[in-house]
Amino acid sequence: MAMAVSRVVQEGGQLVVEAGTGTGKTYAYLVPVLLSGQRALVSTATKALQDQLFSRDIPRLVQALGLPIRVALLKGRSNYLCLHRMGQARHSPESVQPGAQQALAKIELWSQSTRTGDMAELTGLDERSGLWPWVTSTRDNCLGSSCPSYRACHVNLARKEAMAADVVVINHHLFFADMAVRESGVAELLPTVRVTVFDEAHQLNEIGVNFLGQQLSTVQLHELCRDVLAAGLQLARGLVDWPLICSSLEKATRDLRLAAGQHRGSVRLRWIGAHPEGLEPEAWSLALQALSQALMNVQQGLDMVTELAPDFQRLADRTRELLERAALFADLPNPEGVRWAEVSSSLTLVESPLDISQAFEALTRTPTPPVDTAGVHPSAECELDPLDDALEAGQDPSAETEAPSAAAQRAWIFTSATLGDEPSLRWFTEPCGLSSAQVLQVGSPFDYAQQAALYVPTHLPRPGDPGHAQQVAELVLAAVQILGGRTLVLTTTLNAMRQIGEHLQTHGDAAKNIEVLVQGQSPKRRLMERFRQGGGSGDAQGLGGCVLVASASFWEGFDVPGDALQLVIIDKLPFPPPGDPLFEARSQRITQQGRSAFADHSLPEAAVALKQGAGRLIRSETDRGILVVCDKRLVGMSYGRRLVKGLPPMRRLEDHESFLEALHQLTTDATHARS
């Protein structure tokens, strides 16, 4: 893998690498990139992985290789303290809430010593805190160069460091956010680089379609109301009836949400004609019209005071953008994309492309501007203001530079442990527009036949049976009592997660000293930390073992090496949910192309998700464990062979007795290891 990365870095082009767990893929791409002397952008899926690259992996290599390399970390602007909004926060409605003044005082004290302004440095203030949006900015409410704190802005300082760095570490969300705003002419500047690496690349398509489409949400509308009211009362009290126009917009926003109907949990509604399915067309149309009128009233109020402060001009721009989106969703959908309504306690209207292929294909074929002999972009030391001005005017600051030579073409590297279930990795390359990319698969060095076993309990009812979740819960309960915890249960639905979690918490044996953790009952980070601490009943810290029942985000990115996790149970095959508008639109397109929507879309999606879930089990060369898939279709249906082939080559446990024996053996081995 390192040799393949080195070649594409030198020659340019696209490389897609699926590298199994334990291959050391992070070092395999970092070493040749760092040694190349080229400026590089490294993007990963989450902020946690981003921090790991910046704080651990890259510094270790830089030190070991003895390279004079400057590395920068760049996050989205909402991760940085906004000095201007912090100054306004004491006048906000949230400032009167219990504990708000004390928290603000802590933020203000920290602001005097922080160098980066990264909110991750500030302990005790969670991203979910209502105070967080009052001391950070978004692309919507940032005042840009008009801000009185522009020169001291932490976002701008982070960008300057990134412009002067040799390696910049970002995340996929920031990458696509930058793509979206570049197309609209707004300056969200990321460095121009020669080499771009996407780690955890399997998430690119889903993240990308969310940013490259259009959205209108009740959250955006409520935030606009809040910001207009706060700015109006502070900077232009009495000039406009701010409470009236904001309360009118609040009411229109609530009425739009009510027009979407009542639903249990979160649902996606397909778009039928000019409205979401199942809704009364006239009521929906009237609600959208009322929203547009309320936004126009806010616009008129802001137009009266835009000269008084830059805050009002930015608010007017936000209002205009939301008006345009309201008009978009009042019209018929774009036939080249897909539109839906996401309904929960809030409402989000979405129109997106079916994939990122067109946007990404154009991007990966764009040459980079030439670099100087030190490998640093010529504009690295300049002020950001001229670049911001050019981008705001819709110009490309590098447009007049000469085209690079063939040797200077960009290198694009995409890697993950799961990129498909066939050698061509078409599941990944096709929606990402990478049909001409070089493809490489690197197997895991782990001895799965010795380290892991696969068990499919065929005595359980079919997944569609109403009693399936109950039967899975009973199997889990019997297993964790033998194993002393050390179990991760992954479900494909929140309903199954709740049923299984409630059964275990109700019927679990407290005498076994096993704690049942359920996603949603505590913050994700706390659940992960507690699970990692429990190495089984009677561990060295006196902590009992854990069973964690989870869905969604725990299927990937959850790393528990050692004997704290030795059993992964998956409730059923993770096929895409039927009725999802994006899934249905993609399936329809495949069918129109004369292909099979099941074989070319549903099955690969399930194979990748199953592979991700199974990947939680074996994380090191000394790990031992069992994977249980509680879905008899894996062995009873012809397509099951394709799914099994996509899993690591584990040995098979043919019956329940063999499964119980294997559990007892794991318990015995773990006891000997601790003694």
Side-chain angles (χ1 to χ4, degrees):
M1 176 179 173
M3 293 174 65
V5 170
S6 181
R7 282 194 299 270
V8 79
V9 167
Q10 293 174 9
E11 301 169 4
Q14 306 160 4
L15 173 65
V16 175
V17 185
E18 182 183 74
T21 306
T23 56
K25 63 183 173 65
T26 303
Y27 283 10
Y29 69 71
L30 280 177
V31 169
V33 167
L34 295 176
L35 290 174
S36 72
Q38 305 290 354
R39 290 193 76 210
L41 189 70
V42 180
S43 179
T44 191
T46 66
K47 286 182 285 187
L49 291 172
Q50 193 181 354
D51 288 332
Q52 178 180 308
L53 278 168
F54 177 74
S55 303
R56 190 189 73 180
D57 296 336
I58 296 178
R60 283 180 179 177
L61 287 178
V62 167
Q63 182 179 14
L65 298 172
L67 298 172
I69 288 176
R70 294 167 294 181
V71 184
L73 178 70
L74 195 57
K75 298 180 180 179
R77 66 170 62 253
S78 63
N79 293 280
Y80 297 95
L81 175 69
C82 175
L83 299 172
H84 178 61
R85 290 179 66 80
M86 181 184 69
Q88 296 179 320
R90 287 196 178 275
H91 306 286
S92 70
E94 268 76 3
S95 65
V96 300
Q97 294 181 0
Q101 293 294 329
Q102 183 179 359
L104 277 171
K106 182 178 180 180
I107 294 170
E108 290 165 350
L109 181 63
W110 167 72
S111 72
Q112 298 171 18
S113 60
T114 179
R115 188 186 69 83
T116 67
D118 187 342
M119 296 289 288
E121 298 175 1
L122 186 60
T123 58
L125 184 67
D126 192 88
E127 282 185 71
R128 296 171 295 179
S129 165
L131 200 61
W132 188 286
W134 285 96
V135 295
T136 61
S137 70
T138 65
R139 190 167 63 249
D140 287 335
N141 60 35
C142 175
L143 302 180
S145 56
S146 301
C147 179
S149 301
Y150 181 72
R151 291 290 175 182
C153 174
H154 290 296
V155 174
N156 285 338
L157 294 175
R159 288 177 179 173
K160 282 187 177 182
E161 286 195 16
M163 289 297 294
D166 304 299
V167 178
V168 184
V169 182
I170 65 168
N171 59 61
H172 302 341
H173 293 82
L174 180 59
F175 182 87
F176 283 108
D178 186 66
M179 276 187 66
V181 295
R182 279 177 184 270
E183 290 177 356
S184 64
V186 180
E188 285 289 340
L189 184 64
L190 288 174
T192 305
V193 294
R194 279 282 317 285
V195 180
T196 302
V197 180
F198 291 100
D199 201 348
E200 299 295 320
H202 63 279
Q203 296 192 24
L204 277 178
N205 187 47
E206 294 309 309
I207 292 174
V209 295
N210 287 328
F211 279 97
L212 300 180
Q214 293 284 347
Q215 292 191 6
L216 175 66
S217 73
T218 54
V219 172
Q220 293 171 323
L221 293 163
H222 286 308
E223 287 178 347
L224 178 67
C225 289
R226 181 192 66 195
D227 291 347
V228 168
L229 184 61
L233 294 179
Q234 183 181 355
L235 303 172
R237 184 183 291 268
L239 297 181
V240 175
D241 193 340
W242 302 110
L244 176 63
I245 61 173
C246 289
S247 63
S248 297
L249 180 55
E250 285 276 7
K251 181 180 183 305
T253 301
R254 288 195 301 270
D255 288 345
L256 185 68
R257 168 60 192 87
L258 290 173
Q262 298 299 317
H263 303 273
R264 184 178 179 181
S266 178
V267 298
R268 284 183 171 184
L269 303 180
R270 295 175 299 177
W271 213 267
I272 307 296
H275 60 87
E277 66 173 335
L279 305 189
E280 204 283 310
E282 185 176 355
W284 176 257
S285 177
L286 288 173
L288 267 180
Q289 290 174 21
L291 176 65
S292 295
Q293 184 60 56
L295 284 167
M296 284 190 280
N297 293 340
V298 172
Q299 182 77 62
Q300 291 170 2
L302 291 169
D303 287 344
M304 295 173 61
V305 296
T306 49
E307 300 299 322
L308 297 182
D311 305 63
F312 292 124
Q313 183 58 60
R314 188 67 194 104
L315 287 168
D317 292 341
R318 284 171 64 185
T319 306
R320 191 176 304 110
E321 290 170 8
L322 292 173
L323 258 171
E324 291 172 355
R325 292 180 196 176
L328 168 72
F329 287 104
D331 204 349
L332 293 174
N334 178 358
E336 298 300 317
V338 59
R339 181 184 292 183
W340 71 88
E342 191 130 358
V343 188
S344 58
S345 57
S346 60
L347 170 67
T348 303
L349 309 182
V350 183
E351 183 167 286
S352 79
L354 296 183
D355 57 42
I356 62 173
S357 58
Q358 289 187 355
F360 223 60
E361 188 171 4
L363 179 73
T364 55
R365 279 163 173 71
T366 302
T368 184
V371 295
D372 62 13
T373 55
V376 179
H377 193 278
S379 62
E381 303 297 335
C382 73
E383 293 291 327
L384 282 177
D385 307 53
L387 289 170
D388 283 346
D389 293 342
L391 286 167
E392 286 174 357
Q395 301 167 1
D396 182 353
S398 62
E400 297 183 3
T401 59
E402 296 180 4
S405 64
Q409 293 297 312
R410 285 185 176 183
W412 299 85
I413 298 144
F414 306 83
T415 185
S416 171
T418 50
L419 290 176
D421 68 331
E422 54 184 357
S424 68
L425 302 181
R426 191 174 68 175
W427 174 85
F428 172 75
T429 59
E430 191 173 85
C432 291
L434 300 172
S435 56
S436 61
Q438 176 189 349
V439 172
L440 175 66
Q441 287 181 295
V442 181
S444 172
F446 298 154
D447 186 352
Y448 280 101
Q450 291 296 320
Q451 293 181 246
L454 169 64
Y455 173 52
V456 181
T458 55
H459 65 279
L460 294 185
R462 294 179 64 84
D465 190 290
H468 181 262
Q470 174 76 15
Q471 293 290 312
V472 172
E474 292 177 3
L475 182 145
V476 174
L477 186 60
V480 299
Q481 289 177 336
I482 295 172
L483 203 54
R486 296 182 276 163
T487 299
L488 172 64
V489 183
L490 295 173
T491 68
T492 55
T493 65
L494 294 177
N495 187 46
M497 181 188 77
R498 285 189 289 265
Q499 286 188 54
I500 295 170
E502 288 173 4
H503 183 86
L504 295 178
Q505 290 177 332
T506 303
H507 297 87
D509 185 355
K512 292 284 188 178
N513 197 22
I514 299 170
E515 184 176 359
V516 179
L517 308 172
V518 181
Q519 183 181 355
Q521 295 182 357
S522 294
K524 180 179 178 181
R525 181 178 298 178
R526 191 174 303 166
L527 290 174
M528 290 166 51
E529 290 173 353
R530 173 64 190 97
F531 190 89
R532 292 187 180 111
Q533 289 172 347
S537 183
D539 87 338
Q541 298 178 342
L543 295 169
C546 294
V547 52
L548 171 59
V549 186
S551 186
S553 58
F554 279 86
W555 280 71
E556 56 184 272
F558 184 34
D559 187 16
V560 189
D563 66 358
L565 174 57
Q566 293 196 305
L567 177 62
V568 172
I569 299 179
I570 294 174
D571 72 328
K572 60 182 178 180
L573 296 176
F575 285 107
D580 180 83
L582 189 55
F583 168 73
E584 288 190 348
R586 288 170 173 167
S587 297
Q588 185 177 8
R589 180 177 63 177
I590 290 172
T591 301
Q592 290 171 348
Q593 294 169 349
R595 297 156 57 198
S596 166
F598 179 76
D600 293 331
H601 185 31
S602 296
L603 203 53
E605 289 278 340
V608 169
L610 184 63
K611 197 172 180 180
Q612 280 285 348
R616 301 311 98 214
L617 183 62
I618 303 299
R619 308 298 298 179
S620 75
E621 293 178 347
T622 58
D623 284 1
R624 298 289 185 274
I626 303 170
L627 171 67
V628 180
V629 181
C630 300
D631 192 332
K632 62 177 67 178
R633 292 176 296 178
L634 190 61
V635 294
M637 302 297 289
S638 59
Y639 58 76
R641 289 191 295 270
R642 179 172 169 183
L643 295 173
V644 171
K645 187 177 179 181
L647 291 172
M650 306 174 182
R651 70 183 185 277
R652 292 287 296 275
L653 301 176
E654 298 298 338
D655 52 45
H656 198 65
E657 288 71 24
S658 300
F659 171 57
L660 296 178
E661 289 175 9
L663 286 175
H664 283 292
Q665 187 62 50
L666 286 175
T667 303
T668 301
D669 292 346
T671 302
H672 289 163
R674 282 195 294 272
S675 61

